[in-house]
């Protein structure tokens, strides 16, 4: 059962990577912003031969109780992240899913698909922390067995 959601837009980047022998493109998610409903589905922010930035709206961060441990781990991390899974569509990297669960982020990276962890904005952190205060109680760590 979904316990909360926040509409977001993802800042995507295309950059040219040159080596001594080749020139290629690298794509990545580089940020997110809350979407207050006034954003175009895809908005080009800047374009140059070296680097493009565009904003993609229409995604939601969703909170489910079975991911609470992953939310807590991410919230307590020194640098909390939003994890973004993206796929190439029509010659452009497009985000298809985003999560604030550390566990789900790990699954994204392990899936073999393209994913990035971007810095969590303060507004998202505040929203996530309020959810955890209301819906999650950390479990005490179990003591390891003594050997010897």
């Amino acid at each position: 059962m979904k316990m909360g959601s926040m509409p977001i837009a993802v800042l995507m980047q295309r950059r040219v990577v040159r080596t001594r022998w080749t020139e290629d493109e690298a794509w990545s998610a580089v940020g997110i912003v809350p979407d207050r409903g006034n954003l175009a589905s895809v908005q080009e922010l800047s374009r140059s031969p070296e680097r493009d930035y565009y904003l993609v709206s229409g995604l939601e961060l969703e909170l489910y109780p079975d991911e609470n441990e992953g939310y807590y781990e991410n919230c307590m991390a020194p640098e909390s992240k939003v994890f973004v899974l993206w796929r190439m569509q029509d010659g452009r990297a497009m985000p298809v899913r985003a999560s604030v669960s550390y566990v789900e982020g790990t699954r994204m990276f392990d899936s073999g698909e393209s994913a990035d962890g971007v810095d969590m904005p303060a507004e998202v952190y505040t929203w996530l922390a309020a959810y955890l205060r209301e819906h999650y109680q950390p479990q005490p760590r179990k003591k390891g067995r003594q050997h010897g």
Side-chain angles (χ1 to χ4, degrees):
M1 174 172 62
K2 184 164 60 172
M3 302 294 289
S5 65
M6 176 186 281
I8 62 165
V10 179
L11 178 62
M12 300 297 294
Q13 176 191 74
R14 178 206 60 89
R15 63 185 172 86
V16 173
V17 178
R18 289 187 177 92
T19 67
R20 188 176 193 170
W21 302 276
T22 65
E23 182 173 298
D24 205 357
E25 294 180 326
W27 301 83
S28 58
V30 294
I32 69 120
V33 294
D35 182 354
R36 307 218 192 301
N38 56 349
L39 299 173
S41 58
V42 177
Q43 179 181 354
E44 189 173 287
L45 302 176
S46 70
R47 175 180 283 279
S48 75
E50 301 296 317
R51 192 176 309 251
D52 300 338
Y53 288 98
Y54 54 100
L55 194 63
V56 180
S57 65
L59 277 82
E60 279 192 25
L61 295 174
E62 298 176 328
L63 301 176
Y64 295 92
D66 60 342
E67 288 288 338
N68 282 354
E69 188 67 33
Y71 304 143
Y72 179 76
E73 286 181 44
N74 192 14
C75 204
M76 298 306 293
E79 295 181 18
S80 300
K81 301 288 183 185
V82 176
F83 302 98
V84 179
L85 178 74
W86 56 268
R87 295 183 180 125
M88 293 301 293
Q89 296 175 359
D90 300 321
R92 178 181 271 181
M94 296 295 287
V96 295
R97 185 177 178 102
S99 177
V100 290
S101 167
Y102 183 83
V103 174
E104 189 170 8
T106 301
R107 287 192 298 261
M108 287 178 187
F109 292 130
D110 290 346
S111 72
E113 294 201 67
S114 300
D116 296 296
V118 302
D119 291 338
M120 184 182 293
E123 184 175 339
V124 175
Y125 184 89
T126 300
W127 170 74
L128 178 60
Y131 165 83
L132 288 169
R133 278 192 299 278
E134 186 174 337
H135 298 285
Y136 179 69
Q137 181 64 41
Q139 299 300 314
R141 298 276 181 200
K142 296 177 183 176
K143 291 186 178 185
R145 286 185 58 189
Q146 298 290 339
H147 296 285

